[in-house]
Amino acid sequence: MAWGFAYLFVFVQALVPGSFTAAVNPATDRSWMELLVLSFTTLSSTSLSDIVPITSWGRSVVMIEQLAGLGYVAMVVSRLVGLTVAKRT
């Protein structure tokens, strides 16, 4: 899922230049690796990235990825609980 959102970030950056900025070379476009790091840190909710979305398009995609990450964790936990309950009955 992280790679898919990284590709989406690349698309947003191509569609709206300057959608993402960083502490290092803030005026240039972000590289694939930088956007992949942003995707992994957003999906895992660790927020360790120095890359920041600064346009509404970039922020919208980041928010969707945050919801997807939260939904994924909820799905895994509910599946584990369901397996545990089914095993006991």
Side-chain angles (χ1 to χ4, degrees):
M1 193 174 352
W3 275 274
F5 274 102
Y7 280 114
L8 189 56
F9 291 158
V10 170
F11 177 72
V12 168
Q13 182 171 252
L15 187 65
V16 184
S19 291
F20 303 97
T21 190
V24 179
N25 298 325
T28 61
D29 285 342
R30 301 297 102 211
S31 69
W32 161 251
M33 187 56 67
E34 288 175 318
L35 294 174
L36 186 61
V37 168
L38 172 64
S39 181
F40 268 100
T41 58
T42 301
L43 197 60
S44 64
S45 299
T46 55
S47 236
L48 298 174
S49 181
D50 63 339
I51 300 134
V52 179
I54 57 173
T55 65
S56 58
W57 279 90
R59 289 177 178 166
S60 297
V61 174
V62 166
M63 287 187 294
I64 291 169
E65 186 176 18
Q66 289 171 333
L67 288 175
L70 182 64
Y72 182 76
V73 169
M75 183 180 66
V76 169
V77 169
S78 65
R79 178 69 177 145
L80 291 173
V81 169
L83 289 172
T84 303
V85 169
K87 186 177 179 182
R88 291 186 183 197
T89 58

